[in-house]
């Protein structure tokens, strides 16, 4: 779409945060023929290359290591070497009202607390659905960053790891 590309002329990067299944409870296979799960990564990378804009890619919260490794390899091998890859694990992990996968994230976070107890996890956070969901989101972010770091090992400085946080006070 020429108008869309023209509207991005003042940008240095393109965010694909809302173009894929970032908050999905299922990570779909990566394929140009898989349009039902969002815009394929291949199309996003092609747009970056055409416009020479850095790309911001979100991995679905519940995507497994194979999905992340395939996405990282695809982006690394096809993104123009002059461009940076911004990678985020999901989007707005704290927004449990908007993230479709939050209930499953809380279950998986609870499983992590049992399997890997840590003094870094406050007991009041570990007991709440919200705390468990955030624990899993951060665990997923660490795994995403490790996977992409490996894929981009030959391109130092071209990977930007994005993690968002929000803190609020609820004194009810």
């Amino acid at each position: 779409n020429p108008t869309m590309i023209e509207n991005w002329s003042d940008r240095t990067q393109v965010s694909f945060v809302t173009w894929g299944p970032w908050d999905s409870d299922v990570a779909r296979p990566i394929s140009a023929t898989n349009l039902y799960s969002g815009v394929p990564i291949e199309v996003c990378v092609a747009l970056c290359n055409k416009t020479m804009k850095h790309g911001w890619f979100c991995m679905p919260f519940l995507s497994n290591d194979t999905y992340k490794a395939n996405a990282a390899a695809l982006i690394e091998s096809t993104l123009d070497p002059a461009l940076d890859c911004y990678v985020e694990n999901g989007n707005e992990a704290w927004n449990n009202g908007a993230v479709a996968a939050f209930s499953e994230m809380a279950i998986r976070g609870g499983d992590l607390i049992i399997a890997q107890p840590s003094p870094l996890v406050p007991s009041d956070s570990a007991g709440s659905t919200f705390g468990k969901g955030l624990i899993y989101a951060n665990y997923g972010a660490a795994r995403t960053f490790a996977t992409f770091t490996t894929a981009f090992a030959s391109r130092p400085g071209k990977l930007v790891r994005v993690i968002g946080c929000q803190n609020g006070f609820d004194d009810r």
Side-chain angles (χ1 to χ4, degrees):
N1 181 329
T3 303
M4 181 177 70
I5 291 172
E6 183 180 324
N7 287 340
W8 289 349
S9 64
D10 62 338
R11 297 182 184 193
T12 59
Q13 59 133 290
V14 179
S15 172
F16 301 111
V17 170
T18 59
W19 288 34
W22 59 267
D23 73 341
S24 174
D25 58 350
V26 177
R28 306 280 193 244
I30 299 168
S31 168
T33 60
N34 192 29
L35 297 176
Y36 64 89
S37 65
V39 178
I41 292 174
E42 297 93 331
V43 173
C44 297
V45 171
L47 182 60
C48 290
N49 292 340
K50 178 176 179 62
T51 61
M52 291 306 291
K53 307 285 185 194
H54 307 294
W56 182 333
F57 303 89
C58 278
M59 295 296 100
F61 280 119
L62 302 180
S63 57
N64 62 28
D65 291 341
T66 301
Y67 180 94
K68 292 172 186 182
N70 289 341
L74 175 65
I75 295 166
E76 192 284 327
S77 67
T78 57
L79 185 65
D80 187 292
L83 299 174
D84 295 343
C85 170
Y86 291 71
V87 66
E88 182 177 12
N89 192 66
N91 183 48
E92 295 191 12
W94 63 85
N95 192 350
N96 61 336
V99 177
F102 203 87
S103 294
E104 179 63 23
M105 289 166 57
I107 292 167
R108 292 183 186 191
D111 291 346
L112 281 173
I113 294 166
I114 293 166
Q116 302 171 23
S118 170
L120 300 176
V121 178
S123 59
D124 58 339
S125 293
S128 73
T129 299
F130 184 73
K132 290 175 187 176
L134 288 182
I135 288 166
Y136 188 78
N138 289 319
Y139 173 78
R143 294 183 71 86
T144 295
F145 297 158
T147 300
F148 273 75
T149 298
T150 299
F152 277 79
S154 66
R155 294 170 72 173
K158 291 298 179 183
L159 178 64
V160 180
R161 296 156 198 88
V162 179
I163 190 164
C165 181
Q166 182 169 329
N167 189 10
F169 180 70
D170 187 1
D171 190 17
R172 292 186 221 180

